[in-house]
Amino acid sequence: RRVTVFMAGPIFANIILADEINRTPPKTQAALLQAMQEKEVTAGGKTYQLEQPFFVLATQNPIDQEGTYPLPEAQKDRFLLNTFIGYPSTTEEEQIVERTTSNAIPAIEPVCDREAVLAFQKVVRAIPVSRHVTGYAVDLVRATRPSEDNPRAFIREQVAWGAGPRASQALIMCAKCRAALDGRINVSCNDVRQLALPVLRHRLAPSFVAEAEGIRSDDIIKRLLQEVQERADA
C-alpha cells in the first residue's frame, strides 16, 4: 500500500537564509509568514513545531522587477530589521575576487551552538529598560501614524500608514541588544535612535504625495527623530 511520508525541508533549520525573497511566489511567502510568526509549519493538515532558536535572514533584489513578487506588508512587519547593502569597498571587492577565483577551500568552524544562542537571547531579554526609554520608543512609533490624534502635518501628508506595535517591540529589543553588545546593562534613548532607521523603514509606507516628491521613508524617520522629544526621566 502507498504511504505518505512527510519530509522536513530547509524551513526546519534554526537559521534560514532566503536569497532574493521577492522571487518567492506568494504561496511560499504565506507559509514563511506562518513560520516566522507562529514558529510552526502546517502541511497535509498537520502542524509541526519549529525548533528554537528560529530566525530568517533574507535579501531582496531592488533592481529586477521581472519575475518578482512584492512582499506583503504583514510579512515585512515580521522582519526585525531592514538594512541596505551597497557595493563593497575596493579592498573588500579585491578580497572577494581573490577568494572566489582560486582553488582555496575555506575552513568553516562553528562559533557557538544552539544552547548558547538561546542563553544569549535570555540575557538580552533580562536587561532592564527605564520607563522613559520605553515611552520614547512608543512615542516615536506612534508619531509615524497619520491616523493618530493630532498627527504632525508632514506625517498626515507624507505617510499612507504608519508602524504598528511590533515596531515599538523591535525598537526596545534591538536597543537592549545594542546595549549588551556594548557591555552595558542600561538602555538609553540614544540606543533607540540608533536603531530607528532599520527598525522603522520597512514598517511605514510613504504616501503618493511623498513618492512624487522623492521623499523616502528614511527621510520621514530622520525628521521624526529631530522632532520627537524624550520623556522626562521619572
Side-chain angles (χ1 to χ4, degrees):
R1 63 194 179 96
R2 296 180 179 179
V3 178
T4 301
V5 179
F6 176 74
M7 301 295 292
I11 197 68
F12 285 86
N14 295 117
I15 301 175
I16 307 298
L17 176 58
D19 189 27
E20 296 196 5
I21 193 174
N22 53 331
R23 293 193 181 278
T24 305
K27 184 177 180 180
T28 303
Q29 290 181 1
L32 183 58
L33 175 58
Q34 180 190 9
M36 295 173 66
Q37 175 60 35
E38 306 297 338
K39 305 298 187 293
E40 63 184 25
V41 172
T42 300
K46 185 176 180 180
T47 299
Y48 303 86
Q49 295 297 319
L50 297 173
E51 182 184 62
Q52 297 300 311
F54 174 82
F55 55 92
V56 178
L57 305 174
T59 65
Q60 283 196 93
N61 190 321
I63 302 174
D64 290 347
Q65 300 298 321
E66 189 74 22
T68 61
Y69 304 85
L71 267 63
E73 301 305 324
Q75 187 176 359
K76 289 181 183 179
D77 199 19
R78 267 63 177 188
F79 282 99
L80 186 68
L81 301 170
N82 180 4
T83 60
F84 296 139
I85 302 176
Y87 290 112
S89 65
T90 301
T91 302
E92 291 170 340
E93 191 161 353
E94 289 174 353
Q95 293 176 349
I96 291 172
V97 173
E98 291 171 358
R99 293 176 182 178
T100 58
T101 57
S102 68
N103 291 321
I105 300 177
I108 301 176
E109 297 181 0
V111 295
C112 66
D113 55 18
R114 171 178 174 271
E115 287 70 24
V117 174
L118 292 173
F120 291 146
Q121 289 180 342
K122 290 183 179 179
V123 169
V124 171
R125 285 186 172 273
I127 295 176
V129 181
S130 301
R131 289 292 299 274
H132 83 282
V133 176
T134 301
Y136 175 67
V138 171
D139 289 345
L140 189 60
V141 171
R142 295 180 70 87
T144 67
R145 303 170 189 166
S147 59
E148 286 292 316
D149 294 336
N150 300 318
R152 289 169 172 78
F154 79 94
I155 292 295
R156 189 186 303 109
E157 178 183 354
Q158 298 175 3
V159 179
W161 66 82
R166 284 191 185 86
S168 302
Q169 295 171 326
L171 277 175
I172 293 301
M173 286 302 301
C174 290
K176 285 186 175 187
C177 188
R178 185 175 188 271
L181 290 172
D182 198 32
R184 293 181 282 110
I185 59 171
N186 64 301
V187 180
S188 68
C189 291
N190 186 57
D191 291 318
V192 174
R193 281 190 289 270
Q194 295 300 317
L195 274 305
L197 283 175
V199 167
L200 294 175
R201 64 163 55 107
H202 60 298
R203 289 186 164 97
L204 62 86
S207 66
F208 176 79
V209 173
E211 291 180 346
E213 296 179 359
I215 298 173
R216 305 171 303 161
S217 58
D218 280 24
D219 301 320
I220 298 171
I221 296 166
K222 288 177 182 178
R223 184 169 176 180
L224 280 176
L225 287 172
Q226 295 176 345
E227 296 193 7
V228 177
Q229 302 298 314
E230 299 180 19
R231 296 185 185 182
D233 193 353

